[in-house]
Amino acid sequence: MAELDRRPDELAVTGDWTYAPAPESRDIVRLRERYGHYVGGEWLEPAETYETIAPRDEERLATVGQGTEADVDRAVQAAREAYSNGWSALPGSERAKYLYRIARILQERSREFAVLESLNGGKPIKESRDVDVPLAAAHFFYYAGWADKLEYTFPNRRPRPVGVAGQIIPWNFPLLMLAWKVAPALACGNAVVLKPAETTPLTALLFCDVLRQAELPPGVVNVVTGDGRTGAALVEHEGVDKIAFTGSTEVGKAIQRRLAGSGRKLTLELGGKAANVVFDDCALDQAVEGIVNGIYFNQGHVCCAGSRLFVQESIYEPLVEKLKRRLTTLRVGDPLDKNTDVGAINSRMQLEKIEELVASGREEGAEIYQPPCVLPEKGYWFAPTVFTNVAQSYRIAQEEIFGPVLSVLTFRTPDEAVEKANNTPYGLSAGVWTEKGSRILWMAQRLRAGVVWANTFNRFDPTSPFGGYKESGFGREGGLHGLEPYLSFDDSEAFGG
């Protein structure tokens, strides 16, 4: 045997398996120094401004317009003009072409949008890259397919667009929430005034360049940035025919009170406190992965996050042990690092809310576990957290934390699991982990939640409707159901009355 073919007696094997940093380059994103409002296909210079930052290190990213009542009024007028002067009368097959263009451009510019989404929002780049941007494009593709089929979609009814839709989206999924709302509105022939969240306006502003590339007629989509005052001005404007809001339950209630009796259409997708129910016959390791995805995905900034974990008593100890061990492998850090699992909390205000609720859990007697991890010195960070020995009455089991915090409770029977899971003012989502198909169906019939996942969690698809019960709102987004909020029906005409 040649000398080179001989294996050495000892192989040099490293004992350090630490991940090396794998940062995504920011060079693909070209930020302007200053952004105005996008109205009527043009950029308007704002009268008032504020700074938007990167939550990972509090770096200033850009100056953004703070929308006033006058700005909102101009946007609504531009939308009304576009709606009345051709867009609403355009054949569905022609509207579909614009949606297809938008979808393709989002795919072509996916890396640019993913980097900006993580930079401005704080979520890990692998989530923006693999979930948010592809799903946003998929929604435009999906609703493009419906645009010329509306008359067949609702048999014996005559659908027509509502008019001008005012849309207010949150900061946890800025681009995806934009797609959820804009795509069906355009497919149905409506014009849009969109207000992105105050802390995450940049992907919506970059989307305006996609509209330019797609050559969408001016005024069909308008973007006015700002805080809650801008959203309030949009809700108050009499020229808006429909409001779609995703955000906190408190704000949703205020919007509903304001629009009550006005005749204007409203859909609300609000808070949640989802139950993730794990039975003793589940695939335990698979369930642990689903639990982690259900609460630590996007730092827990998910309205349908599985923040209440109900475990059957017989498997409580091994599940909690496996869960704690799994938490030690989560990497917390730079959102632009492709190895990061848990990124930055979106804002200082949200971080303070999480800290306050976690402190209340300690005070009420719950047992806290946080894996050892070094948090960056700059920016807004919170370690993945698990509470055990939690009672139903504790605030951490009742209030939406909207952060990477899990409360673990137990149950003995399916009836008890249903009773405890439904003991909440919310009803947005739930998860069931069991090998029995009959039990999945039994639970799904009884859980008061708009979405019930079986042996998975946080799975989304454009064809599937999403929405809640009780204080989680009303109306559905996604799927065939997502078209109806953007349509009105003249049934008497359809039947010849």
Side-chain angles (χ1 to χ4, degrees):
M1 182 182 289
E3 186 69 27
L4 291 176
D5 293 334
R6 293 177 184 168
R7 298 183 62 182
D9 293 333
E10 294 183 4
L11 294 174
V13 178
T14 178
D16 183 10
W17 295 98
T18 305
Y19 279 83
E24 177 67 78
S25 173
R26 290 178 50 177
D27 293 345
I28 195 169
V29 175
R30 296 284 186 269
L31 288 173
R32 299 183 186 181
E33 179 69 22
R34 184 181 180 91
Y35 289 90
H37 308 297
Y38 188 74
V39 176
E42 299 178 351
W43 291 101
L44 300 183
E45 180 63 25
E48 302 175 24
T49 61
Y50 69 95
E51 307 295 320
T52 187
I53 66 169
R56 65 173 186 162
D57 57 7
E58 303 176 68
E59 170 198 357
R60 176 195 169 277
L61 296 176
T63 299
V64 180
Q66 166 60 48
T68 63
E69 290 185 10
D71 296 324
V72 170
D73 183 60
R74 291 182 67 175
V76 173
Q77 289 183 26
R80 178 65 61 187
E81 184 177 347
Y83 173 80
S84 303
N85 294 340
W87 178 253
S88 60
L90 204 63
S93 57
E94 293 300 311
R95 293 198 303 271
K97 292 178 183 178
Y98 290 104
L99 272 74
Y100 278 125
R101 288 180 197 168
I102 291 170
R104 288 194 296 268
I105 294 167
L106 283 175
Q107 288 183 322
E108 291 165 2
R109 302 177 65 172
S110 60
R111 186 176 168 215
E112 181 182 5
F113 273 96
V115 171
L116 186 56
E117 192 84 326
S118 290
L119 188 62
N120 197 198
K123 67 176 60 186
I125 184 67
K126 64 182 180 183
E127 294 178 5
S128 300
R129 178 195 64 203
D130 299 340
V131 179
D132 294 40
V133 179
L135 264 179
H139 274 79
F140 278 100
F141 275 125
Y142 175 73
Y143 282 110
W146 278 118
D148 62 346
K149 303 174 183 66
L150 299 178
E151 291 187 8
Y152 308 99
T153 305
F154 302 96
N156 299 319
R157 308 181 76 183
R158 183 166 295 178
R160 52 189 175 84
V162 171
V164 175
Q167 302 178 330
I168 303 170
I169 59 176
W171 44 260
N172 55 337
F173 292 94
L175 184 65
L176 183 56
M177 293 296 101
L178 178 153
W180 277 25
K181 288 179 166 52
V182 172
L186 298 191
C188 293
N190 301 280
V192 167
V193 178
L194 177 83
K195 192 206 85 71
E198 175 188 5
T199 58
T200 54
L202 293 183
T203 45
L205 294 169
L206 181 61
F207 180 75
C208 297
D209 195 53
V210 172
L211 301 177
R212 176 195 61 79
Q213 280 186 268
E215 299 180 350
L216 189 73
V220 174
V221 174
N222 308 272
V223 178
V224 181
T225 55
D227 58 19
R229 293 170 292 172
T230 310
L234 186 57
V235 171
E236 295 280 345
H237 201 291
E238 296 296 332
V240 175
D241 302 299
K242 185 258 188 310
I243 290 290
F245 173 79
T246 297
S248 71
T249 297
E250 291 73 21
V251 175
K253 288 179 179 179
I255 292 174
Q256 188 174 11
R257 284 193 295 267
R258 174 63 185 87
L259 296 188
S262 68
R264 291 191 277 165
K265 299 193 75 170
L266 173 65
T267 50
L268 298 173
E269 197 266 279
L270 308 175
K273 193 69 178 174
N276 212 355
V277 184
V278 182
F279 286 92
D280 58 6
D281 64 339
C282 72
L284 196 56
D285 291 322
Q286 178 187 349
V288 168
E289 290 304 308
I291 293 162
V292 169
N293 179 58
I295 184 60
Y296 302 115
F297 174 71
N298 196 28
Q299 298 77 252
H301 297 335
V302 186
C303 51
C304 56
S307 54
R308 292 183 301 147
L309 176 62
F310 292 94
V311 184
Q312 200 155 18
E313 282 187 359
S314 56
I315 59 166
Y316 173 78
E317 285 81 7
L319 186 145
V320 169
E321 182 183 348
K322 284 177 177 287
L323 180 61
K324 288 181 178 180
R325 188 184 310 131
R326 179 66 175 89
L327 258 61
T328 63
T329 69
L330 294 179
R331 294 178 294 278
V332 182
D334 183 5
L336 291 183
D337 190 326
K338 291 185 280 290
N339 292 322
T340 293
D341 297 303
V342 180
I345 303 302
N346 182 262
S347 66
R348 182 179 298 279
M349 181 183 299
Q350 185 59 33
L351 178 60
E352 290 172 352
K353 176 186 175 183
I354 295 168
E355 290 173 338
E356 190 265 330
L357 282 167
V358 167
S360 77
R362 290 176 184 266
E363 292 166 5
E364 288 181 302
E367 183 179 327
I368 190 172
Y369 173 78
Q370 293 175 320
C373 60
V374 180
L375 301 179
E377 294 182 3
K378 286 187 176 181
Y380 313 128
W381 305 92
F382 200 84
T385 301
V386 173
F387 275 110
T388 52
N389 297 326
V390 178
Q392 287 270 86
S393 60
Y394 290 179
R395 289 181 62 196
I396 55 173
Q398 289 293 323
E399 298 182 27
E400 184 178 36
I401 299 176
F402 223 63
V405 181
L406 177 66
S407 296
V408 184
L409 302 96
T410 61
F411 70 93
R412 293 179 182 175
T413 67
D415 284 319
E416 183 184 355
V418 169
E419 183 178 358
K420 287 185 173 181
N422 288 339
N423 182 24
T424 173
Y426 299 107
L428 192 55
S429 64
V432 179
W433 298 83
T434 175
E435 69 171 10
K436 294 182 175 67
S438 58
R439 181 180 283 163
I440 290 169
L441 296 175
W442 189 90
M443 291 289 293
Q445 287 178 331
R446 289 160 177 78
L447 290 169
R448 294 296 293 166
V451 176
V452 179
W453 286 291
N455 294 323
T456 188
F457 210 93
N458 276 343
R459 296 291 181 183
F460 297 97
D461 186 272
T463 67
S464 179
F466 181 86
Y469 293 102
K470 300 188 286 188
E471 292 192 12
S472 290
F474 52 82
R476 294 295 181 263
E477 293 180 305
L480 171 62
H481 300 70
L483 293 166
E484 197 159 354
Y486 292 97
L487 293 169
S488 59
F489 299 92
D490 193 338
D491 294 343
S492 62
E493 239 184 89
F495 284 105

